[in-house]
Amino acid sequence: ATTNPANAAQSKSAAANSAQTPHNHSCHTYQTLLMPYLDAVTQIRMIILAQARSIWFLLPQWCYRRFSKLYQTEEALLKPIRAFSELACRSAELGSPLDMLKGSKSHGNNNDLKKTATDAVPKNMRDEAITLLFAGQDTSAATLSWTLHLLSLHPDIQQRLAEEIASVGER
């Protein structure tokens, strides 16, 4: 099959547009990546729990990687997680934690030996973003759950809080 030069030029143009500067990404890009990211994070949490409660937890890591179907699923789920974290790195606002890491010696583009031609973001930077994004969800959910649990144990405080929230809403 022959390649149409016009199509090749369009493909190159589309590739150039997809590699734009951080703040030129449209909301569509975030929306496209957000749902697969959230689904993957939810499923990864289930895999982590399943692995911790299975024989794979007791065996060497290479056994898990070689023989477990969980590992294959985990690797597939990491693709949208990596894509979203790379977008977060490229779109980091000035002064944000990810932006500060970009400029650091340990996470900057110049010092990452594991960066390949296909990586838009250095691997160590992407991994740090995954940690920040994933941990941020877990800690917020855990904090909120614990707060609601404690409120359920103290109905008097729960009632005062409900009254205060209602009074703020009336202002």
Side-chain angles (χ1 to χ4, degrees):
T2 59
T3 304
N4 181 341
N7 289 344
Q10 287 175 346
S11 295
K12 286 182 183 177
S13 174
N17 288 339
S18 68
Q20 290 177 348
T21 57
H23 299 290
N24 290 341
H25 289 286
S26 67
C27 288
H28 178 72
T29 304
Y30 282 106
Q31 291 172 347
T32 302
L33 293 176
L34 183 60
M35 287 314 294
Y37 166 78
L38 293 174
D39 290 341
V41 166
T42 300
Q43 291 178 44
I44 283 282
R45 284 189 181 124
M46 296 301 115
I47 288 175
I48 291 168
L49 290 173
Q51 182 191 16
R53 295 180 179 135
S54 72
I55 189 73
W56 300 116
F57 186 70
L58 302 173
L59 296 174
Q61 192 70 20
W62 69 265
C63 291
Y64 173 69
R65 289 184 176 142
R66 175 78 170 106
F67 301 111
S68 175
K69 292 221 183 272
L70 281 177
Y71 178 73
Q72 295 168 4
T73 304
E74 180 181 329
E75 281 300 302
L77 290 170
L78 282 172
K79 288 177 184 175
I81 292 172
R82 288 178 181 134
F84 190 81
S85 68
E86 286 182 9
L87 179 61
C89 289
R90 288 190 306 268
S91 303
E93 291 190 20
L94 191 61
S96 70
L98 287 176
D99 179 59
M100 289 189 276
L101 281 174
K102 278 188 207 178
S104 73
K105 192 172 187 178
S106 63
H107 290 82
N109 288 332
N110 298 332
N111 296 332
D112 192 348
L113 300 176
K114 295 182 182 178
K115 184 177 178 182
T116 66
T118 60
D119 286 335
V121 173
K123 182 186 180 312
N124 59 357
M125 183 71 187
R126 183 190 67 210
D127 291 347
E128 191 72 31
I130 290 171
T131 300
L132 290 171
L133 292 167
F134 193 80
Q137 288 181 350
D138 258 1
T139 54
S140 299
T143 301
L144 184 57
S145 295
W146 187 246
T147 301
L148 294 174
H149 170 69
L150 289 175
L151 284 171
S152 73
L153 296 177
H154 302 279
D156 56 322
I157 297 173
Q158 183 179 6
Q159 181 61 37
R160 285 196 326 233
L161 179 62
E163 290 168 1
E164 185 172 340
I165 291 170
S167 73
V168 170
E170 294 170 359
R171 291 181 197 170

